[in-house]
Amino acid sequence: MSLARGPALANRIVLAPLTNKQSHADGTLSPVEHDWLVRRAQGGFALTMTCATYVSPAGKAWHGQIGLCSDAQVPGLAGLARSIRTAGSVSAVQLHHGGRRAGESGLEPVCAWDDAETGARAMTTAEVEQVIEDFAVAALRAERAGFDGVELHGAHGYLIGQFLDAEHNHRQDGYGGSFANRSRLLFTIIDQVRQRCRANFQIGLRLSPERYGIPLDEALATAERAMTGGQIDYLDMSLWDCFKHPDTPGYGSARLIDLFARLPRGACRLGVAGKIQDAVTAQACLDAGADFAMVGRGAILHHDFARRAIADPGFAMMERPVSRAHLRAEGLGEAFIAYLAGWGDFVAD
């Protein structure tokens, strides 16, 4: 499958960006996280994407998170980019800032507003402009490391999503209040990355359709503007469940996937994530109008989920919970396994 820029995807099954907490305290990539990702590239995933990678020291949201806010973090990621390419997959770094949810940095948390719940402070306008620069410079580092592109993490209530939040972002400096102002941070970051990286560098964007103070009509408008603006190459909609109906009334019988798939998209590709656990569901997403399916839990359990699903239309991921021994055999390190043990239904022992 071709994209507007950069290398084509060998198929339509993509690795979802997955928090795994396996890297070093200084944000450099660990051999364990390198190997976990490369196994998925070898397993047939057309695009292999890192977990959320913080672009500013104050944006670090959990221990073991990769960073790309320092040149010292580039060499490890350069090795990963080479390994992914050797395995035959397209590579991307997901760029991220935790905002009010960045409790791991040890620095004062900041976000779009003064947040009593987390103690985060409202960013000054200069700090907003600096975080735009941080995203752009991190993208340049990813380019220098040899990645085919980056994905901007605008989903799940992290910093970009906090600026999109209609309930809480009432800033008066041009980055809050109206929908146009609340989306200014996102689209300025996109503009800066596109202007400063090479012409064939791929840019993706992850968005959430609901929750986190974002009205569904605004999520749809953001997605349409992003897809038709000519700046990004793919939109990754994190739908939680691809075939759920909206929580917002007034959309008739349309499912979330239907609402986003029927938007104009120009040359942009649309990917969806959310409970894609077998080949039948992946195909159903494509039949509903998505260009590719993003797999998370199935990729944890089977490093070769993509290859199996393409070869066998009846393939489904194994039942959970699974043993620690199985997860180790699939390339997961102990930190990732410990994290999954907290999910309740994933790890048997």
Side-chain angles (χ1 to χ4, degrees):
M1 179 183 71
S2 64
L3 278 74
R5 301 171 184 87
L9 304 187
N11 59 63
R12 298 192 176 202
I13 301 181
V14 165
L15 179 67
L18 290 163
T19 301
N20 58 83
K21 302 188 175 183
Q22 297 186 115
S23 276
H24 297 308
D26 62 359
T28 55
L29 185 77
S30 71
V32 175
E33 188 154 3
H34 171 280
D35 293 349
W36 135 260
L37 287 163
V38 173
R39 285 286 300 278
R40 274 69 206 163
Q42 294 168 339
F45 285 93
L47 171 63
T48 302
M49 190 181 305
T50 70
C51 69
T53 302
Y54 59 93
V55 301
S56 312
K60 185 178 181 181
W62 52 83
H63 68 271
Q65 185 179 6
I66 313 170
L68 202 44
C69 59
S70 164
D71 287 345
Q73 295 158 337
V74 172
L77 284 166
L80 175 62
R82 288 192 298 270
S83 297
I84 291 173
R85 181 169 293 108
T86 298
S89 182
V90 177
S91 60
V93 178
Q94 188 189 58
L95 300 182
H96 165 263
H97 189 298
R100 72 189 191 100
R101 299 174 64 186
E104 184 64 22
S105 68
L107 302 172
E108 181 183 28
V110 293
C111 72
W113 64 89
D114 288 319
D115 185 61
E117 180 182 347
T118 61
R121 169 181 59 78
M123 301 169 74
T124 65
T125 302
E127 287 172 327
V128 176
E129 293 168 347
Q130 181 60 53
V131 90
I132 292 167
E133 178 72 6
D134 291 345
F135 271 95
V137 172
L140 286 168
R141 289 192 177 104
E143 178 185 62
R144 179 152 47 93
F147 282 85
D148 296 307
V150 294
E151 178 180 88
L152 306 174
H153 196 343
H156 304 168
Y158 293 114
L159 185 69
I160 292 174
Q162 289 159 25
F163 273 81
L164 293 171
D165 186 332
E167 294 179 16
H168 298 96
N169 181 9
H170 306 300
R171 299 174 65 93
Q172 301 296 312
D173 63 351
Y175 291 99
S178 68
F179 173 52
N181 286 349
R182 285 183 283 107
S183 60
R184 190 180 309 280
L185 175 73
L186 167 62
F187 287 104
T188 305
I189 291 170
I190 292 172
D191 288 344
Q192 284 297 303
V193 174
R194 177 53 65 211
Q195 288 175 26
R196 295 166 69 171
C197 291
R198 66 177 186 268
N200 68 341
F201 194 66
Q202 293 172 347
I203 302 176
L205 170 64
R206 171 164 266 209
L207 293 175
S208 298
E210 299 178 302
R211 310 182 191 180
Y212 309 110
I214 300 174
L216 180 53
D217 62 340
E218 290 192 1
L220 290 163
T222 302
E224 181 174 350
R225 178 180 170 187
M227 288 195 291
T228 58
Q231 301 278 64
I232 70 169
D233 301 288
Y234 58 89
L235 176 66
D236 158 15
M237 289 304 309
S238 182
L239 301 179
W240 304 108
D241 179 343
C242 288
F243 297 105
K244 77 178 288 290
H245 289 83
D247 295 330
T248 306
Y251 289 90
S253 60
R255 305 163 298 181
L256 284 177
I257 193 171
D258 302 322
L259 295 177
F260 288 91
R262 70 191 186 195
L263 292 174
R265 67 185 78 159
C268 184
R269 298 294 192 176
L270 173 65
V272 293
K275 296 188 177 179
I276 303 172
Q277 300 177 356
D278 52 54
V280 169
T281 305
Q283 185 60 53
C285 290
L286 304 182
D287 293 342
D291 292 304
F292 59 89
M294 306 193 72
V295 177
R297 296 186 183 211
I300 295 172
L301 294 174
H302 305 278
H303 75 278
D304 55 353
F305 180 102
R307 182 176 297 126
R308 292 193 190 197
I310 292 166
D312 177 8
F315 174 74
M317 78 178 197
M318 64 192 300
E319 293 294 321
R320 296 161 296 170
V322 300
S323 69
R324 291 172 184 263
H326 173 80
L327 295 172
R328 292 186 190 107
E330 286 295 322
L332 281 70
E334 297 304 316
F336 196 1
I337 294 171
Y339 172 53
L340 294 173
W343 289 13
D345 66 339
F346 218 92
V347 182
D349 48 342

